[in-house]
Structures are given as C-alpha cells and as structure tokens.
Amino acid sequence: MDIDEDQGNQPVNAMDLEEEKLHFRRIVCAFKYYKKHSLARVSKSEAYLSSLPNHHQEMLLKYKQHLGVIRQCIEKNEKIINHIIRDVEYMFANVHPDSADNHDSSINHVSIISELERVQTTLKQLVRDWSAEGAKERSMCYQPIIDEVMKIFPPNLCDPGSIKVLVPGAGLGRLAFEIARKGYQCQGNEFSLFMLFASNFVLNRIRSVNAYEVFPWVHQSNNLLKAESQTRGVLFPDVNPADLPPESQFSMAAGDFLEVYVDPEQWDCVATCFFIDCAHNIVAFVETIYNILKPGGVWLNLGPLLYHFADIPNEDSIEPSYEVVREVIEKVGFQIEKEDTNVSTTYSQNQESMLQYEYKSVFFVCRKPLLKQNGLAHSGGSSPQAENSRFLDSTNT
C-alpha cells in the first residue's frame, strides 16, 4: 500500500520544501538517537546507584539487575526502530527520494531530545493498534465507529466498495484497516511522520502474525508493582496486515488534514477518533469535515478534548468546551443524530501500571443534510433504509 504525500492544491515554495526536508531529517534522527539517549538514561541511574553506600547497593541488587534487563529491552526496541526507518525516503509514492534526503549532518542533536518522547509514543502505539493486548482499547474506541458505519451503510443494502470513508488522524492505520476489511473504500490521513513511518512498516512490510516483539513500557519507571511490568514484551501484529479482501480499496494519505482535503462533497463518511482536539482551531476542522462530506453524508466521532497545542509554547490554540463545540457543529450545518457523553476509553495504557487513566469520551453521529432541488436543507434521518437506498446499484433495485 503506497502512502501519498498529498498537500492538496496549495503550492509549495522553495522555503517550505526545505523546511519539510529538515523536518523529515529531524524525525529520522530522533529515531536514530533513541538507543543512545535511552542507554544514557540507564547509565545515569547505574552511576547514581554505584555512588550509594555499599549496604544500600547490596539491598538493591535486584534493581541493579533490572537496569541490565532494561538495557536489553532498549537494544531490542532499536531493532524495531531500524525496521521502521529503513528506506523511509522511498515510502511516499509521489515524492522523489532526493526530496526526502535523510542525512543528519545539519541536525542539532540537542534539539532532537524533545522529539524522543514521540518515538516512545510510537512504540506504544504499535501495542494499541496492532497487538492482542491493544484489543481492549480498540474495542472501546474503534468498535463503536465500525459498528455505526455498518449500521448506516449496511452491506446487504449497499455496495460497500462504493462507500467512501475517510479516517483523519489515522495513526498507525488500524481503524482505517478494519473499515476497509469490511469492504468499504477507506483512506486514512496522517500528518505525523512518526506515525507514517511506523504505519508504513506495519502495513507494507509485515506479512505474518506476531512477527515482532516490542518493549513499549521500558521507559515508564513509575508506579510499578513488579519490575517485569516495565520490561515485558508485546508481540505484534495480531493480524496479518495483508489480510484484506482482494477488491478492497485502502490507502493512506500524508499531510495536513486542512490542506489535503479541500475538494467539496467527496466522502460518504468521515470517522474521527481521538482527532478533533489536535486542531489549533477546532472550528476549521468542523467546517472542513462538513465541506468534504456529500449531502446526506455522516460524521462519526469518538474521543476527548485534550487539545494538543494548549500548553505548547509559541503555539496558537483555542480550547472550547464540548458544549461550545456542539453549538459550533450545529451552526456549521450538521444535524446531530446520536450522542453519548460518557464513553469510557483509555489510550496506550500499560495494563499492569499502578496508575490508570480513563477518559469520559464523547461519541456522536452527525449528518450533513440532503439538499433538495429547491436548495432547501432536508433532514436525512428519517430511516437508515431510506438513506442507504441511494447507494444501491440500480440494477438491483
């Protein structure tokens, strides 16, 4: 599966292109720097341990041995990372390798340290999206969306292959993959190169179940009941990523959602999961989703409002409450058909940690009204069967 780097209809000048190249190289360098930085952190703990009184060290022999196991886990994670970044300069179907040059001589390694947490997040995302352990989270977050897609566009009443579903903020692609596996035409969109590198590895290079082992919790040293909870491995993927119907239409598009998706009335369904709070201006997301949906199309959303840019220095951000966001959704023109403001969800959580986070997420279904010939908006919510009849092949009606 090719990944297109699609920047929409916006022209890219020489300065923007150079900034993109620099960003690309910085992300590659962050992955490359993972082992050095992680082992340096272990060495610091070992050095402090060796400075303690001898009788303290004797009581901490198991901890010293544990630090050695952490080193081994980091070494094994490094092997996964090498797979992830191998030949990434060739991963974009419509970008010449020369424009994705990943030489790092011009990169300040000090500036890369801030990116290393996202490398660790990527390793944990492999568990959430592509392991048996992540099935519980996927059931909380992805399954309600998948079930709703199948309810609104039932395969026995329409040709799933003609239904175009977009998944912005697709991460490592599992939600989009599952929708495509049901027979729908599905495209995932992702902006983060961390996610794109890893999804490219999983979707394009792995062709067997549980082919690799990652150690996702090795950098979480707090709230441990047992040392083994930090150093346990997780096998992935839990399914063969090539296991799609022969006629399936599944793709990933790289780029900023607001820049890539500018053509109106292209999609039957937009499915967002833990995505809309990634916006600087959430209103722009809502307007874009409305614009790209066909009349009668639906928007499915599940997630909290974490607002990723809220506390980042030098980043602009607005953080309206859900009550205000709901008003915006209706003002833009959507009709809310279903809403649940108390959906329990977790995100990339170590199930063996003493600290457990839980979101009370919102799940809603919105519809863009059908447009009659007289130009008046009409509710499309009379019945699922009436709505879906417009997607039936005329030869079967």
Side-chain angles (χ1 to χ4, degrees), residues 24 58 96 259 370:
F24 188 100
E58 291 174 3
H96 191 275
E259 296 178 0
L370 286 169

Side-chain angles (χ1 to χ4, degrees), residues 129-146:
D129 264 23
W130 294 102
S131 78
E133 181 169 322
K136 182 179 179 180
E137 284 194 358
R138 294 195 300 273
S139 177
M140 292 176 174
C141 301
Y142 298 167
Q143 199 59 48
I145 293 174
I146 296 168

Side-chain angles (χ1 to χ4, degrees), residues 364-384:
F364 60 72
V365 179
C366 297
R367 190 179 297 273
K368 180 177 181 176
L370 286 169
L371 299 179
K372 290 185 174 181
Q373 291 183 352
N374 60 10
L376 296 177
H378 171 66
S379 172
S382 56
S383 72

Side-chain angles (χ1 to χ4, degrees), residues 66 70 217-221 224 226-232:
H66 176 63
I70 289 177
W217 320 116
V218 69
H219 305 289
Q220 295 184 346
S221 56
L224 299 172
K226 297 182 296 184
E228 292 80 6
S229 298
Q230 183 180 10
T231 56
R232 63 189 178 90

Side-chain angles (χ1 to χ4, degrees), residues 42-176:
V42 178
S43 295
K44 182 180 178 181
S45 296
E46 290 173 332
Y48 178 60
L49 179 61
S50 66
S51 72
L52 299 179
N54 288 336
H55 69 288
H56 288 185
Q57 293 186 47
E58 291 174 3
M59 288 188 284
L60 290 168
L61 283 178
K62 285 188 177 180
Y63 177 66
K64 182 177 181 180
Q65 294 169 357
H66 176 63
L67 291 176
V69 177
I70 289 177
R71 282 185 171 275
Q72 295 172 13
C73 293
I74 291 170
E75 295 278 357
K76 293 175 181 178
N77 280 348
E78 173 74 0
K79 294 180 180 179
I80 299 296
I81 286 173
N82 287 338
H83 284 296
I84 289 174
I85 63 174
R86 180 169 62 88
D87 297 331
V88 290
E89 63 269 27
Y90 295 95
M91 66 180 283
F92 296 118
N94 56 339
V95 176
H96 191 275
D98 290 344
S99 66
D101 179 21
N102 67 351
H103 295 300
D104 58 5
S105 58
S106 62
I107 304 294
N108 180 356
H109 281 253
V110 175
S111 68
I112 295 174
I113 294 178
S114 62
E115 305 281 8
L116 288 170
E117 184 176 348
R118 299 172 73 179
V119 175
Q120 298 171 12
T121 297
T122 303
L123 297 177
K124 289 186 284 188
Q125 193 75 10
L126 288 169
V127 177
R128 174 179 168 87
D129 264 23
W130 294 102
S131 78
E133 181 169 322
K136 182 179 179 180
E137 284 194 358
R138 294 195 300 273
S139 177
M140 292 176 174
C141 301
Y142 298 167
Q143 199 59 48
I145 293 174
I146 296 168
D147 291 345
E148 199 67 31
V149 169
M150 297 189 69
K151 180 180 178 181
I152 297 172
F153 307 104
N156 63 322
L157 293 178
C158 68
D159 172 19
S162 69
I163 306 301
K164 296 179 63 179
V165 182
L166 174 65
V167 181
L172 298 195
R174 184 61 181 264
L175 175 57

Side-chain angles (χ1 to χ4, degrees), residues 184-384:
Y184 299 96
Q185 185 180 161
C186 191
Q187 181 172 93
N189 164 240
E190 181 55 53
F191 179 72
S192 167
L193 286 176
F194 292 96
M195 297 293 107
L196 288 165
F197 290 174
S199 63
N200 176 61
F201 165 55
V202 174
L203 294 169
N204 288 330
R205 298 209 181 125
I206 302 180
R207 292 295 178 264
S208 59
V209 175
N210 292 333
Y212 296 93
E213 185 177 30
V214 67
F215 297 83
W217 320 116
V218 69
H219 305 289
Q220 295 184 346
S221 56
N222 298 329
N223 296 303
L224 299 172
L225 277 175
K226 297 182 296 184
E228 292 80 6
S229 298
Q230 183 180 10
T231 56
R232 63 189 178 90
V234 178
L235 296 173
F236 75 95
D238 63 317
V239 297
N240 183 346
D243 184 20
L244 287 170
E247 68 280 4
S248 64
Q249 301 179 68
F250 175 38
S251 62
M252 290 282 284
D256 187 313
F257 171 65
L258 297 178
E259 296 178 0
V260 174
Y261 298 95
V262 295
D263 294 332
E265 300 183 0
Q266 297 294 307
W267 301 89
D268 300 294
C269 177
V270 174
T272 54
C273 184
F274 280 72
F275 171 70
I276 60 174
D277 55 0
C278 296
H280 293 273
N281 172 11
I282 194 170
V283 180
F285 271 18
V286 177
E287 285 184 333
T288 296
I289 293 170
Y290 188 88
N291 180 57
I292 65 177
L293 279 171
K294 299 175 183 178
V298 292
W299 172 24
L300 315 177
N301 175 76
L302 189 147
L305 290 175
L306 192 57
Y307 290 120
H308 293 208
F309 296 103
D311 299 314
I312 300 179
N314 303 319
E315 291 285 359
D316 295 323
S317 177
I318 57 171
E319 301 90 33
S321 67
Y322 175 68
E323 181 181 35
V324 174
V325 172
R326 192 184 193 282
E327 291 179 358
V328 168
I329 290 170
E330 292 183 320
K331 288 177 180 177
V332 166
F334 280 109
Q335 297 167 339
I336 298 176
E337 297 186 346
K338 181 180 292 188
E339 183 179 42
D340 186 347
T341 60
N342 192 33
V343 181
S344 296
T345 57
T346 59
Y347 196 94
S348 296
Q349 188 154 258
N350 183 353
Q351 298 176 8
E352 296 186 8
S353 172
M354 296 165 65
L355 178 63
Q356 300 290 319
Y357 285 104
E358 183 178 87
Y359 294 100
K360 296 296 184 182
S361 292
V362 173
F363 176 60
F364 60 72
V365 179
C366 297
R367 190 179 297 273
K368 180 177 181 176
L370 286 169
L371 299 179
K372 290 185 174 181
Q373 291 183 352
N374 60 10
L376 296 177
H378 171 66
S379 172
S382 56
S383 72

